Amino acid sequence: MAKTYDYQLHCQRCGNDIPSMGQWIDQGQSCSDCGERHVAVGYKDLARGLRSAIGTDEAGSSDGDAGLWRYRQLLPVAPGTSPVTFGEGGVPLERSEFLEAYAAKFGTGCRVYLHRHDLSLGTSTFKDLSASMLATVLRDHGVQDFVAATTGNFGVAVAKYLAEAGIRFWAFLPSSPPDSYEEAIRDCGQRVIRHAGDYAAAQVAAEKLATSRGYLMSLGGLDPMRIEAKKTMAFEWYRQLGRLQTVYVQALSGGTGPIAIGKGIAELVEAFGVNRPRMYMIQSDGCAPMAMAWDDAKRTDFSPGWKQRYPVLENPNTEITTLLTGNPKLFPKVGQAVHLSGGEILSVPENLGGMIAGVMRLRSEIRIGPAASIAVNGFFNMIHRREVREGDEVVIAIGDSDTHATSRWRQSVEQFLGYGRSTDLVAGLRRAA
């Protein structure tokens, strides 16, 4: 008797239904009718599943049963699945009195929460969510080898979780990520192939290996396993606050995050009738193709075809390798999600990252990583642009710690901690403190 599942995958081109993640993998991670790789996961009883996982009597709590696998009824796995887990996703929303004080100094009363994925028990990043889901599904389907191009945090997380699942991982790194990423992947007993080119070249090399040997390969930002895992971040906001916040802020690279968050929010809207938060995606000015495309769309008042107009940057000049996506292929979907929410895609100066991290360490005792510093910098930018309104509740994704930061970036943090700098931003931060 064939297994039945509480979910189905729906082809986003022809509408064909695929009954399970295993069958989708067997079909080459594509639709058997039209070959489309982009599929969306739907659930038979979404509202009941969310009510069961969150529970009106538990809304506003932060008990130890939080995190990814609390929501297994709303994940594409078979009933009774034993997950590959290190407790990922069970991290707090932490009030930031410092950031609230900064906003108040400039005339905006708001509440600010940090979603502390730097405290994730896997590898201290929100990539642990995706890695746990990947490892669980691939293990249950008997996959032995998995290939992915990575600029850092994703590769480290996948290496650890796949090692736990007994799956070999082939990580293709471009030349730019620091050696600490390579060492962390190798420490898990996994394989690293350094590529002399950029991330796009590493992707090409990874695909060549996967094709030649018949290995399964990461589909990147549209992989349904990654999307379904990361959407649970939105579920945790609702569970811990008892409501959805009004503003969400995160650093932006390839775009899986906002696509996944958008899906999680859509499911909460369907189940509970909540209002959508405004989504603010923040890019480093060293690699900001989506912010550039967004600015262009705004200048043309989002004229027809705006989602298909975006620049492709060759070898972007950024030291934040985890945000190194010069070809913003997912801009059509990211732009749509941000536009629907009433938010913005912004860029901020990368050279302030060390100072931002230093300020957060001084005032909040939090050691944020380079990508998280871009998100916090985005919040400061939003305050000065009056994007944050009186009474807003803001959640900022702290998606990484400073574990694998480059030595140069660490030096800039230490320089600020030792000497400080006389910039307008620092002056504002000192007034707030």
Side-chain angles (χ1 to χ4, degrees), residues 167-241:
I167 299 171
R168 287 184 295 269
F169 178 44
W170 303 78
F172 281 75
L173 269 69
S175 57
S176 53
D179 290 342
S180 60
Y181 287 112
E182 180 175 344
E183 293 165 3
I185 294 170
R186 292 192 186 279
D187 284 347
C188 295
Q190 304 289 23
R191 294 148 179 79
V192 177
I193 298 92
R194 277 280 189 174
H195 198 279
D198 61 8
Y199 177 60
Q203 285 181 306
V204 172
E207 185 171 2
K208 183 177 180 180
L209 176 74
T211 300
S212 66
R213 299 192 182 183
Y215 293 162
L216 201 69
M217 181 176 172
S218 170
L219 294 185
L222 292 179
D223 190 314
M225 291 177 278
R226 295 174 65 179
I227 289 173
E228 293 305 298
K230 282 190 176 182
K231 76 177 184 183
T232 61
M233 291 169 60
F235 298 166
E236 277 293 280
W237 305 334
Y238 187 85
R239 189 186 71 81
Q240 292 192 40
L241 295 177

Side-chain angles (χ1 to χ4, degrees), residues 92-302:
L93 286 176
E94 183 177 293
R95 283 281 296 275
S96 176
E97 295 180 359
F98 167 63
L99 294 182
E100 291 177 2
Y102 183 85
K105 286 290 184 181
F106 291 93
T108 302
C110 61
R111 288 191 178 188
V112 182
Y113 299 88
L114 307 177
H115 201 186
R116 296 287 308 278
H117 285 275
D118 59 306
L119 301 178
S120 181
L121 297 177
T123 64
S124 301
T125 74
F126 67 3
K127 303 297 185 181
D128 292 340
L129 295 167
S130 299
S132 177
M133 176 64 66
L134 279 165
T136 301
V137 172
L138 299 185
R139 178 207 60 194
D140 287 356
H141 198 60
V143 173
Q144 296 181 332
D145 291 89
F146 184 72
V147 182
T150 174
T151 56
N153 289 337
F154 177 69
V156 173
V158 171
K160 179 170 183 173
Y161 282 80
L162 291 191
E164 181 72 9
I167 299 171
R168 287 184 295 269
F169 178 44
W170 303 78
F172 281 75
L173 269 69
S175 57
S176 53
D179 290 342
S180 60
Y181 287 112
E182 180 175 344
E183 293 165 3
I185 294 170
R186 292 192 186 279
D187 284 347
C188 295
Q190 304 289 23
R191 294 148 179 79
V192 177
I193 298 92
R194 277 280 189 174
H195 198 279
D198 61 8
Y199 177 60
Q203 285 181 306
V204 172
E207 185 171 2
K208 183 177 180 180
L209 176 74
T211 300
S212 66
R213 299 192 182 183
Y215 293 162
L216 201 69
M217 181 176 172
S218 170
L219 294 185
L222 292 179
D223 190 314
M225 291 177 278
R226 295 174 65 179
I227 289 173
E228 293 305 298
K230 282 190 176 182
K231 76 177 184 183
T232 61
M233 291 169 60
F235 298 166
E236 277 293 280
W237 305 334
Y238 187 85
R239 189 186 71 81
Q240 292 192 40
L241 295 177
R243 59 194 173 276
L244 275 183
Q245 75 279 12
T246 57
V247 175
Y248 172 58
V249 184
Q250 75 158 72
L252 174 63
S253 182
T256 310
I259 292 171
I261 293 299
K263 187 174 191 295
I265 290 170
E267 292 181 351
L268 287 166
V269 169
E270 180 180 339
F272 299 116
V274 296
N275 293 322
R276 296 175 183 272
R278 306 191 307 280
M279 297 171 66
Y280 287 82
M281 301 292 108
I282 315 299
Q283 294 203 290
S284 156
D285 63 357
C287 184
M290 291 205 198
M292 294 163 65
W294 182 263
D295 285 345
D296 179 67
K298 288 178 66 177
R299 279 193 295 269
T300 61
D301 197 25
F302 299 96

Side-chain angles (χ1 to χ4, degrees), residues 86 92 137 162 190 209 278 307 320 322 328 394 409-410:
F86 292 96
V137 172
L162 291 191
Q190 304 289 23
L209 176 74
R278 306 191 307 280
K307 287 180 265 188
I320 305 180
T322 53
V394 181
W409 192 83
R410 287 176 181 274

Side-chain angles (χ1 to χ4, degrees), residues 389-410:
R389 305 165 189 167
E390 186 71 24
D392 267 337
E393 286 190 312
V394 181
V395 169
I396 303 174
I398 304 300
D400 60 337
S401 69
D402 66 354
T403 305
H404 299 291
T406 64
S407 58
R408 191 180 209 177
W409 192 83
R410 287 176 181 274

